[in-house]
Amino acid sequence: MSSSTLPATTDSIAQALEAKTPSEAISILYRVLENPSSAPDALRIKEQAITNLSDLLRQENRAEELRSFLTQLRPFFALIPKAKTAKIVRGIIDDVAKIPGTSDLQISLCKEVVQWTRAEKRTFLRQRVEAKLAALLMENKEYPEALNLLSGLIKEVRRLDDKLLLVDINLLESKLHFSLRNLPKAKASLTAARTAANAIYVPPAQQGNIDLQSGILHAEEKDYKTAYSYFFEAFEAFNALEDPRAVFSLKYMLLCKIMVSQADDVAGIISSKAGLQYVGPELDAMKAVADAHSKRSLKLFETALRDFRAQLEEDPIVHRHLSSLYDTLLEQNLCRLIEPFSRVEIAHIAELIELPVDHVEKKLSQMILDKKFAGTLDQGAGCLVIFDDPKADAIYPATLETISNIGKVVDSLYVRSAKIMT
């Protein structure tokens, strides 16, 4: 044994735990792993040392060292069962993921591990690392590469009939298609995930993921009542597990209430026993939007969007629905304001609605083109001219109906004459 190594015993692990600094503990654990012993007890101690060392490197934000550490462990993996190898490899990848700003490093690390697993013919581990890699590529918005990776992986996993992994992959594929705005394929992948999940026991966290994705897709189709029920199921699952995703499920529940014009229910949900656990910027943002919607105030709406930009504008799901809500609210307010006028200055409308003139002018022109009302913009005079609603002349539908009836009569007479001739 080299003088720099330490025996692979519980005393060495205890020595690392009692070290005064993380650097000292890391040094001790490295020395334990350098011990050449391959006895069963020594291997078990080394596994514990690997776990402790990985945790310490994560706490110290030493991502590159974690990456090189995983490479150094490859000779050790030949001495332990494949299942334990898979657990250690996935654990170290997860530890790297917990270090901020390491998305590119995680992608390159996963690619290295995939190459190694192919060479070592470790199919079980490779499939799971490839699924992780696809998720990272999706987060990095490298959609074509992620889709190609998932397509091959799904075919392979279906042949092996690994239902649990199939649920993960189908759910990931659904999220990927949703990011690409391909809703039919997103729904098909989600249905496949549910079908696979029905055949096995699915952990509560994964079931919460499925319900959350279901809610997002139903909300996208404007079916907010169904979406609310799915978000509620996801919230209950995540809340029981104390998962941080619970607050996002609750946030989307409140969004659904606002979108179906039940903004008054938002305050009650937030003040409930479950809601009070998650009081913070996310729920404050939704409460501000609900207040603005209740008061039909565009000014309060814009204030909420400005004050809670991170929670509203930067959340793509919330942002998409609130944009639609804002447009609807703006159109309703403008229609109500211009109703008494036949000709009105745009500046006056902007003053009444408390919005910039150019913003109001742009929206009015869009509403005219969309035929929300009849009118025209006199930009030279800075005015909006509203036309009377054209009255439909009743004579034309009546004439068309008469001609249609005459056609039926002629056809009937032709059929009768044909019978007589025969």
Side-chain angles (χ1 to χ4, degrees):
M1 185 187 302
S2 170
S3 59
S4 64
T5 64
L6 285 173
T9 62
T10 52
D11 290 339
S12 298
I13 298 295
Q15 186 181 342
L17 293 173
E18 292 167 3
K20 295 178 181 178
T21 63
S23 297
E24 185 183 343
I26 288 169
S27 176
I28 292 169
L29 291 169
Y30 269 125
R31 289 165 65 191
V32 171
L33 292 172
E34 286 171 4
N35 189 303
S37 175
S38 58
D41 288 343
L43 292 177
R44 180 175 51 79
I45 295 297
K46 285 182 181 180
E47 287 171 28
Q48 189 178 345
I50 289 168
T51 304
N52 293 356
L53 182 54
S54 181
D55 287 341
L56 285 168
L57 291 173
R58 173 182 56 79
Q59 290 167 19
E60 293 293 297
N61 290 340
R62 290 154 72 166
E64 281 291 349
E65 195 167 337
L66 267 171
R67 178 183 183 174
S68 59
F69 175 53
L70 185 55
T71 306
Q72 292 167 20
L73 287 174
R74 287 179 184 176
F76 176 74
F77 292 149
L79 304 173
I80 61 174
K82 289 185 177 181
K84 287 186 177 179
T85 298
K87 183 180 178 182
I88 291 170
V89 171
R90 292 168 67 189
I92 292 174
I93 291 173
D94 289 342
D95 282 337
V96 174
K98 291 172 185 174
I99 300 173
T102 58
S103 59
D104 291 337
L105 178 65
Q106 290 175 61
I107 290 171
S108 61
L109 176 60
C110 286
K111 287 179 178 178
E112 284 179 13
V113 172
V114 167
Q115 288 177 353
W116 175 74
T117 51
R118 284 187 185 280
E120 295 289 321
K121 296 182 179 179
R122 295 177 184 254
T123 305
F124 177 85
L125 176 57
R126 175 181 57 78
Q127 289 170 346
R128 278 148 184 79
V129 175
E130 282 185 336
K132 174 74 173 177
L133 176 58
L136 290 168
L137 290 169
M138 185 181 73
E139 288 175 13
N140 222 31
K141 298 186 178 178
E142 297 178 28
Y143 300 128
E145 190 177 350
L147 201 55
N148 288 336
L149 184 60
L150 279 181
S151 299
L153 192 57
I154 286 175
K155 292 176 185 176
E156 189 177 343
V157 174
R158 276 179 184 158
R159 284 199 300 270
L160 296 174
D161 201 29
D162 187 341
K163 290 271 193 306
L164 190 58
L165 181 56
L166 197 58
V167 171
D168 291 343
I169 296 170
N170 281 321
L171 184 58
L172 184 58
E173 188 183 35
S174 176
K175 292 177 181 178
L176 182 56
H177 283 305
F178 177 74
S179 299
L180 292 167
R181 312 298 303 138
N182 191 336
L183 293 182
K185 285 192 174 182
K187 288 174 66 179
S189 298
L190 182 62
T191 302
R194 283 191 172 282
T195 303
N198 288 337
I200 56 167
Y201 169 75
V202 177
Q206 188 66 311
Q207 187 60 52
N209 264 329
I210 293 172
D211 289 331
L212 185 62
Q213 181 67 6
S214 300
I216 290 170
L217 292 179
H218 278 284
E220 194 67 24
E221 294 181 327
K222 312 296 182 189
D223 185 2
Y224 294 109
K225 288 185 178 179
T226 307
Y228 178 88
S229 64
Y230 277 119
F231 288 137
F232 181 73
E233 293 290 338
F235 171 72
E236 286 200 321
F238 293 140
N239 185 41
L241 297 168
E242 297 183 354
D243 191 303
R245 286 172 292 184
V247 70
F248 294 103
S249 303
L250 182 55
K251 179 181 176 182
Y252 299 150
M253 284 168 58
L254 300 179
L255 174 67
C256 291
K257 284 292 183 183
I258 293 168
M259 296 304 294
V260 294
S261 300
Q262 294 178 2
D264 295 338
D265 295 347
V266 168
I269 295 172
I270 293 174
S271 60
S272 66
K273 184 180 177 182
L276 288 172
Q277 299 177 47
Y278 300 98
V279 169
E282 300 288 347
L283 300 193
D284 290 343
M286 299 313 296
K287 188 174 186 304
V289 172
D291 290 342
H293 186 270
S294 297
K295 295 173 183 175
R296 300 287 177 182
S297 172
L298 286 168
K299 187 176 181 180
L300 288 176
F301 202 111
E302 291 200 331
T303 302
L305 292 175
R306 185 175 60 252
D307 293 346
F308 297 98
R309 183 177 179 81
Q311 290 76 28
L312 301 176
E313 294 281 329
E314 294 176 14
D315 185 326
I317 294 165
V318 173
H319 174 67
R320 189 177 297 115
H321 293 290
L322 290 189
S323 295
S324 170
L325 181 65
Y326 179 83
D327 284 342
T328 304
L329 198 57
L330 179 55
E331 287 176 6
Q332 288 174 352
N333 276 266
L334 285 172
C335 287
R336 179 171 53 82
L337 288 172
I338 66 175
E339 190 175 0
F341 301 101
S342 59
R343 183 181 181 90
V344 60
E345 290 183 349
I346 297 170
H348 180 62
I349 299 174
E351 185 181 345
L352 291 173
I353 206 167
E354 298 178 316
L355 288 174
V357 174
D358 59 338
H359 189 170
V360 172
E361 185 178 347
K362 183 179 178 182
K363 187 62 186 176
L364 286 171
S365 65
Q366 182 186 334
M367 290 171 70
I368 292 169
L369 291 171
D370 291 342
K371 297 184 179 179
K372 297 291 174 69
F373 68 91
T376 186
L377 288 172
D378 184 349
Q379 290 181 314
C383 291
L384 170 69
V385 181
I386 300 101
F387 303 143
D388 292 333
D389 290 333
K391 293 181 180 178
D393 196 332
I395 193 170
Y396 296 112
T399 303
L400 288 170
E401 188 179 354
T402 304
I403 292 170
S404 175
N405 290 333
I406 290 172
K408 291 176 182 177
V409 170
V410 170
D411 290 340
S412 175
L413 291 172
Y414 176 77
V415 170
R416 286 187 178 186
S417 62
K419 286 180 179 178
I420 292 170
M421 293 294 292
T422 57

